[in-house]
Amino acid sequence: MDFLSKKLQKRKEDGLLRKLSITDPAAVDFSSNDYLGFAKLKELWEPGTLEKYGSTGSRLLTGNDPITEETEAFIAKFHQAEAGLIYNSGYDANNGLFSCIAGKDDITIYDEYCHASIKDGARLSLAKHYSFRHNDIKHLESKIKRAEGNNIFVAIESVYSMDGDIADLNGLVALKEKYKNIYLIVDEAHATGVFGDRGQGLVQHLGLENKFFARVHTFGKALGCQGAIVLGSQLLRDYLINFSRPFIYTTALPLPNILAIKRAYQLMESRDKSIQLLKDRIRYFNEKVSSSDIKNIITNQSAIQVMIIPGNENARSVAKHLQSKNFDVRPVLSPTVPIGKERLRICIHSYNTESEIDRLIVELKSII
């Protein structure tokens, strides 16, 4: 087993060794993806009158259930899509979609900041795959012009998880309409529950739902559950059921999880007050940063705010200081982000108070 030890030792010497940690429940949460606080709602997980609670197999065998199909139809209607297919995680959804949708004569082009699940899925497919510079429509167009393939799949995230910035969806749609055989795929993981009056995501917020070949909405962020759904046409759903290996060969999610997902969507559909509270807190944080002397915080319309602190040790040190002040703020280090772009990733939630935000700003100013 020396080869494992050597790799781990090298990572430790480079200051890059990852370890699991336990979140302090008493700390003020500026770190989790639970933007609306739904993960704390016990009513999402009330089992109701179910005949079974565990999973019994993949959905192609014994794991399918009318409740699951009803939930998929409900979510598809909520997002104004023809159909949807639930996966066990956002990683599975992207991996399962991108690994099977592009054939050997096709091309996948993705934003360089896309999630690993998109990149891994593209690598598993038979198609050629390339990246384009982050949020650079002109660079993407140059890649499209040189692409030689039957179909070109362009992958982006509506909100990027490490920077919190948003994609130029209108620019992408204009590009799609300029060239033939362009199919747009968007991951709405960090836009779900944040954009739109009911948390529908950025695509619907801009009225572009009919312009995208596929949309991926995950349930493990603002919805406080587990799983994800790929939305698109009924034809796409049928295709994935037949060719998407992470769907075909995975045990189905248990029904209590499916019911929790539906209840979370029902809360959003009712325009739960948490959605507006989150928007208010994001605006408040941005206003406080704008009126402060802190220059290296990048504010966004999303729930994700970023403070650039170059150097892994520097970022770790600042995070530890904030944690000692009872703030749960985590560093994001290279190689997850480029060298010199190490940062604190500050997540705003509906349940963060203005007082907590004020105290966090004070601590950040004291560090600078």
Side-chain angles (χ1 to χ4, degrees), residues 264-298:
Y265 264 97
Q266 288 170 332
L267 270 179
M268 291 203 300
E269 188 179 44
S270 67
R271 291 179 171 83
D272 184 80
K273 64 180 181 180
S274 301
I275 297 172
Q276 187 55 51
L277 266 175
L278 174 61
K279 297 177 192 294
D280 292 343
R281 295 297 183 262
I282 292 169
R283 182 167 53 251
Y284 185 80
F285 180 87
N286 289 346
E287 289 171 354
K288 295 298 289 187
V289 170
S290 179
S291 63
S292 73
D293 297 325
I294 307 174
K295 303 299 182 184
N296 56 337
I297 291 184
I298 304 170

Side-chain angles (χ1 to χ4, degrees), residues 100-365:
C100 76
I101 203 65
K104 63 182 180 64
D105 296 320
D106 300 326
I107 292 174
T108 299
I109 308 176
Y110 50 79
D111 188 294
E112 64 178 337
Y113 283 9
C114 273
H115 192 267
S117 57
I118 293 174
K119 297 176 182 178
D120 290 352
R123 290 166 185 156
L124 286 171
S125 76
L126 299 176
K128 294 179 181 177
H129 54 90
Y130 309 100
S131 65
F132 66 94
R133 286 193 295 269
H134 178 53
N135 266 346
D136 190 333
I137 299 293
K138 288 185 178 180
H139 191 230
L140 170 59
E141 184 171 16
S142 72
K143 296 270 185 173
I144 290 172
K145 285 179 178 178
R146 295 197 301 270
E148 295 181 1
N150 292 335
N151 303 305
I152 300 173
F153 297 93
V154 175
I156 52 99
E157 297 178 29
S158 53
V159 175
Y160 287 90
S161 61
M162 289 297 105
D163 286 55
D165 56 339
I166 63 176
D168 180 5
L169 297 186
N170 285 308
L172 287 161
V173 168
L175 198 62
K176 171 191 177 299
E177 295 176 346
K178 184 177 178 181
Y179 295 93
K180 294 180 180 179
N181 300 327
I182 301 293
Y183 297 90
L184 298 180
I185 301 175
V186 59
D187 184 336
E188 291 254 63
H190 293 278
T192 309
V194 180
F195 288 89
D197 61 343
R198 292 177 295 151
Q200 305 99 313
L202 187 61
V203 171
Q204 280 173 271
H205 179 63
L206 298 176
L208 300 174
E209 54 269 22
N210 294 325
K211 303 296 184 180
F212 283 81
F213 171 75
R215 288 175 279 159
V216 178
H217 287 267
T218 63
F219 313 138
K221 309 306 192 284
L223 272 71
C225 302
Q226 178 186 342
I229 192 167
V230 176
L231 298 171
S233 65
Q234 182 64 46
L235 180 63
L236 174 61
R237 184 180 189 272
D238 292 342
Y239 182 91
L240 293 174
I241 290 171
N242 281 274
F243 294 101
S244 179
R245 294 171 70 85
F247 174 82
I248 295 168
Y249 298 107
T250 299
T251 299
L253 285 174
L255 288 182
N257 197 102
I258 297 295
L259 285 175
I261 293 164
K262 187 172 184 180
R263 288 174 183 139
Y265 264 97
Q266 288 170 332
L267 270 179
M268 291 203 300
E269 188 179 44
S270 67
R271 291 179 171 83
D272 184 80
K273 64 180 181 180
S274 301
I275 297 172
Q276 187 55 51
L277 266 175
L278 174 61
K279 297 177 192 294
D280 292 343
R281 295 297 183 262
I282 292 169
R283 182 167 53 251
Y284 185 80
F285 180 87
N286 289 346
E287 289 171 354
K288 295 298 289 187
V289 170
S290 179
S291 63
S292 73
D293 297 325
I294 307 174
K295 303 299 182 184
N296 56 337
I297 291 184
I298 304 170
T299 57
N300 296 293
Q301 300 173 51
S302 74
I304 302 168
Q305 316 298 322
V306 173
M307 183 175 186
I308 301 296
I309 304 175
N312 281 352
E313 287 308 314
N314 290 335
R316 280 198 189 99
S317 176
V318 173
K320 285 181 180 178
H321 171 78
L322 292 172
Q323 290 161 14
S324 73
K325 299 296 182 179
N326 206 39
F327 293 108
D328 186 5
V329 177
R330 309 292 177 93
V332 181
L333 312 174
S334 60
T336 301
V337 294
I339 294 175
K341 297 291 186 180
E342 295 81 7
R343 70 211 37 212
L344 300 182
R345 182 176 178 269
I346 301 168
C347 294
I348 308 300
H349 310 88
S350 62
Y351 49 85
N352 290 137
T353 65
E354 291 183 356
S355 173
E356 289 169 347
I357 292 172
D358 289 342
R359 290 190 288 114
L360 177 65
I361 296 293
V362 169
E363 286 300 327
L364 293 174
K365 287 179 69 174

